[in-house]
Amino acid sequence: MRRVHRAEALASFDAIRSAIADDEPNAVMRERGWHPIYTASATARIAVIGQAPGIKAQTSGVPWDDASGKNLMEWLGVTPAQFRDPALFSLLPMDFYFPGPGRSGDLPPRRGFAQRWHPPLLTLMPNIRLTLLIGRYAQNYYLPESRRDSLTETVRNFAEFGPRQFPLVHPSPLNFRWQTKNPWFAAEVLPELRTRVREALQSTPGAR
């Protein structure tokens, strides 16, 4: 029988994490001893919306625990201590569990997962000043009407999405060919990204 979690029972981060872990669709993950991989806190300034944890992150319990995470920190111009401080960054993938291997790379995040669990978490994070949308799954969900026809064009036209949202390609080392083909990313996008990140981290909590 599927567990039903009443809205008032999800009024805290601990309650949400327990509800995610106990939810019936995650029964296989529980059997494997896996826990949901994400970070969140009431004071977080920046939300990083990624795809889903890889097997390394799922095993270690640390989001972005791979070469992609190192590249992302470099793109953002922050230290590992800053990036892994929940008071500054909330790391919310579109699925909080490793979805499994596919024919080429990992399987996509499960449908409906972010739709169910992101809203109650984000409700408890009123100080988010910047949301980074990494990859097509995050952009399809959070920019359903405004995204361009391709991920490349969405990222290239990042300025259209205002000061609060910033679309990015995945920082995987495997994307080096894409970056070589699109030199504007390093020349134009990354400097603005670092400026936005710095401003979000320096903003006063509670300010609008």
Side-chain angles (χ1 to χ4, degrees):
M1 181 177 178
R2 182 177 179 137
R3 294 175 175 84
V4 177
H5 301 286
R6 298 174 62 188
E8 58 265 30
L10 302 180
S12 73
F13 290 111
D14 287 344
I16 294 173
R17 185 175 289 276
S18 294
I20 294 169
D22 292 342
D23 204 20
E24 191 60 32
N26 300 325
V28 173
M29 283 61 168
R30 289 197 306 275
E31 292 172 1
R32 293 173 179 169
W34 288 359
H35 302 284
I37 306 300
Y38 71 95
T39 63
S41 80
T43 60
R45 311 288 184 82
I46 297 174
V48 179
I49 312 294
Q51 180 169 314
I55 187 59
K56 184 176 180 180
Q58 185 69 70
T59 302
S60 69
V62 179
W64 292 96
D65 187 20
D66 53 19
S68 296
K70 293 180 181 178
N71 286 343
L72 180 57
M73 286 180 250
E74 182 179 350
W75 286 4
L76 304 181
V78 299
T79 66
Q82 288 175 305
F83 185 71
R84 303 207 176 281
D85 184 354
L88 301 177
F89 284 88
S90 172
L91 308 178
L92 297 179
M94 294 295 290
D95 189 335
F96 301 156
Y97 294 92
F98 173 59
R103 290 185 177 180
S104 58
D106 297 340
L107 291 173
R110 290 171 291 173
R111 292 183 178 181
F113 191 95
Q115 183 178 10
R116 182 171 188 191
W117 297 113
H118 282 198
L121 283 166
L122 291 170
T123 296
L124 298 178
M125 293 187 281
N127 294 309
I128 295 295
R129 294 292 172 269
L130 177 64
T131 299
L132 308 180
L133 303 172
I134 300 177
R136 65 186 181 93
Y137 295 107
Q139 291 165 24
N140 288 351
Y141 179 71
Y142 281 94
L143 305 173
E145 304 295 335
S146 57
R147 71 180 188 275
R148 293 296 187 97
D149 291 338
S150 70
L151 183 146
T152 295
E153 286 305 305
T154 298
V155 173
R156 188 164 196 167
N157 292 277
F158 68 91
E160 295 181 0
F161 305 100
R164 302 294 290 268
Q165 294 179 312
F166 205 115
L168 291 168
V169 295
H170 197 280
S172 168
L174 298 177
N175 277 343
F176 72 93
R177 290 188 180 88
W178 183 92
Q179 293 185 57
T180 300
K181 187 178 179 180
N182 298 283
W184 49 265
F185 180 74
E188 303 172 20
V189 178
L190 291 186
E192 181 62 22
L193 173 64
R194 290 169 184 145
T195 296
R196 298 263 195 99
V197 167
R198 184 171 59 252
E199 291 175 346
L201 294 180
Q202 293 173 346
S203 65
T204 302
R208 291 290 179 180

